[in-house]
Amino acid sequence: MSFKEPSKKPELLRILQNLTRLVLLVGVLGVITAIQLTRPQSFSLDQYFPAQAEVATFEESTDAVEKIEEGIHVATGLVYDERFEIVRASCTACHSAKLITQNRMSRENWKKTIVWMQETQKLWDLGPNEDKILDYLAEYYAPKDFGRRKNLDIEEWYMLEL
């Protein structure tokens, strides 16, 4: 029996391929850098983020986040009342408040949705907060008697002349 030393050819080929890839990558990066240095305006973010734009301070941004207008929490779009914080903490921990505001369900269907989220989406037991959340959802996000928008009240019609 004779043992043959394994060929070094495959290993050298792999090293050469990796080296070629590295050289190509460095070359591409060099070309991109050269373009950026010779034509800075074409890659400028100034058109999207002008230098003159005001930057909000931390206090201003937190005020905007907690702003209430006409009974609506501006940042979430949810109706603001004494149960709001419980709803926000429980619901928006996993999904956007838009998922609430774009839906309309009866209290029973909101309950079924919560049970479904607990069974399939790993929602925790809401404990004594569940009734408060359901009351809130049933009060503000129950089905309405009209569709997506109310009928327009047109007080004066105009005749178009063709």
Side-chain angles (χ1 to χ4, degrees):
M1 265 197 186
S2 71
F3 291 99
K4 198 173 185 185
E5 188 174 319
S7 172
K8 300 271 186 193
K9 234 179 184 179
E11 186 177 333
L12 286 173
L13 185 60
R14 185 182 54 79
I15 291 171
L16 284 174
Q17 287 173 336
N18 287 338
L19 187 59
T20 304
R21 288 182 187 131
L22 181 61
V23 168
L24 284 173
L25 179 62
V26 169
V28 168
L29 290 175
V31 169
I32 291 172
T33 303
I35 291 171
Q36 285 180 328
L37 291 174
T38 58
R39 304 175 83 196
Q41 291 300 335
S42 65
F43 291 92
S44 174
L45 294 178
D46 290 345
Q47 60 185 332
Y48 304 108
F49 305 104
Q52 304 90 319
E54 291 184 27
V55 177
T57 64
F58 177 75
E59 291 79 20
E60 290 171 340
S61 64
T62 55
D63 288 346
V65 168
E66 296 306 319
K67 192 172 188 178
I68 310 298
E69 287 183 359
E70 298 180 14
I72 303 294
H73 182 257
V74 175
T76 62
L78 294 171
V79 174
Y80 190 83
D81 75 0
E82 67 277 355
R83 300 164 293 191
F84 166 78
E85 288 299 336
I86 294 170
V87 172
R88 177 168 68 168
S90 300
C91 300
T92 64
C94 298
H95 58 73
S96 166
K98 292 223 182 265
L99 211 52
I100 299 168
T101 60
Q102 68 189 8
N103 284 288
R104 299 260 171 209
M105 291 186 253
S106 65
R107 190 178 202 283
E108 296 77 31
N109 284 341
W110 281 116
K111 170 70 176 168
K112 288 177 185 176
T113 302
I114 288 172
V115 169
W116 174 81
M117 287 187 285
Q118 289 171 330
E119 291 174 351
T120 63
Q121 307 301 307
K122 299 183 181 176
L123 174 64
W124 57 90
D125 180 20
L126 298 172
N129 288 335
E130 185 171 306
D131 281 335
K132 294 174 187 173
I133 293 168
L134 286 169
D135 291 343
Y136 174 92
L137 295 171
E139 181 176 344
Y140 298 117
Y141 301 101
K144 292 185 176 181
D145 292 334
F146 54 88
R148 290 180 62 118
R149 66 169 178 81
K150 295 180 182 178
N151 290 336
L152 298 174
D153 293 327
I154 301 172
E155 295 182 20
E156 187 176 344
W157 287 90
Y158 296 95
M159 295 301 296
L160 295 177
E161 295 180 22
L162 301 175

